Each structure stands twice: as structure tokens, then as C-alpha cells.
Amino acid sequence: MADMFLEKFRSLVPKYLDDAWNEADGLSREELAEALEESRVQIPLVLEEFYRSLGNCDDFMEAYHYFFDPEELEVEDGYLLFLEDEEEKFVWGFKASQTDVPDPIVYRRNNSRGSWTSEEGTFSEFTLDMFSWVFEELSAELEN
């Protein structure tokens, strides 16, 4: 399948870090395949391309929320978990039955209640919006 999201994710490096994207920012296909073999999960195309673009870039992997490293991915409650907030109040995932969808809808679980809610956006939409919010907040803090 053709790369659908790589350029969108790679473009975040110059946009928010004022640096050119380079291969060291992402995981190679081989590194990702080894990590996924360890976690034993199938991931959607968009998450694969996210890791290949930004999987080694802590500025994105740990930007206010924490993206799970590929070897840490797991299915819980029927959802493939990929992101957690810093206070561990919420976790985000896809329905495990939707991993064959190239860019599935994201759901958020309130960890204290165990309830899942749709974020009403796909992974690419959710992630791009989240980084926009994170880096705008950071920029505002630096200006003050």
C-alpha cells in the first residue's frame, strides 16, 4: 500500500521543531517489525507510518502525552492502546477489530471509570490536532 500519512507526520518536525526531518526521527521498517513481533499486535497503516516518521523523536513521542513504544502496544478491553496522559487518567486506542482500517477512529478511556468514548476523529486528525494544541501551549508559555 502506498504511503498515505508519512509526509504529514514528517512535516511536523520542521513545523514545530524548526529542524529538517531526518531518518533518525523515525523507526526503520525493520525496527518497527521487530518491535511489533515482540508486542504481538497488528496496527493500522496510520500508526505504522507515525512510528516510521516520529517513533524515535521524543519531542513528539512524549509531548505532554506518552505514545507507547511499538513493543509496548497491547490490546485491552477490545482496544489497541497507543497513548496515555502524563497523570495516567486516560488512555487512547482503536477498536482492535478496526486495525485493518487505514486511519481508524480514536477512542479514549477514562481509567477511573473504565468507560470508552469516541474522540470523533481518526488517528491522523486526532494526532495532528493534539500536536497543534501541545506546541501552541508550549509556545505561549515560552512567550510569557
Side-chain angles (χ1 to χ4, degrees), residues 1-100:
M1 185 176 283
D3 297 330
M4 296 175 60
F5 309 99
L6 279 175
E7 290 310 312
K8 280 184 182 180
F9 293 133
R10 290 176 178 175
S11 72
L12 297 175
V13 174
K15 181 175 184 174
Y16 295 121
L17 304 182
D18 294 324
D19 198 4
W21 180 87
N22 68 71
E23 287 187 32
D25 291 326
L27 299 173
S28 70
R29 286 182 189 271
E30 295 77 23
E31 290 169 320
L32 182 57
E34 284 178 25
L36 292 175
E37 192 173 306
E38 189 175 324
S39 67
R40 297 184 173 160
V41 297
Q42 178 184 346
I43 62 173
L45 176 65
V46 70
L47 189 57
E48 174 188 334
E49 293 188 6
F50 173 82
Y51 284 126
R52 288 182 41 221
S53 299
L54 302 171
N56 275 329
C57 188
D58 288 344
D59 290 323
F60 291 100
M61 294 293 291
E62 299 176 1
Y64 187 67
H65 295 338
Y66 300 99
F67 282 91
F68 295 3
D69 290 329
E71 62 273 8
E72 298 171 338
L73 294 171
E74 63 180 307
V75 174
E76 194 175 292
D77 301 333
Y79 291 83
L80 172 61
L81 310 181
F82 64 84
L83 179 70
E84 186 170 49
D85 70 315
E86 60 187 348
E87 287 101 27
E88 299 181 5
K89 292 180 180 180
F90 298 97
V91 67
W92 286 263
F94 313 109
K95 288 184 177 180
S97 62
Q98 299 279 306
T99 57
D100 59 337

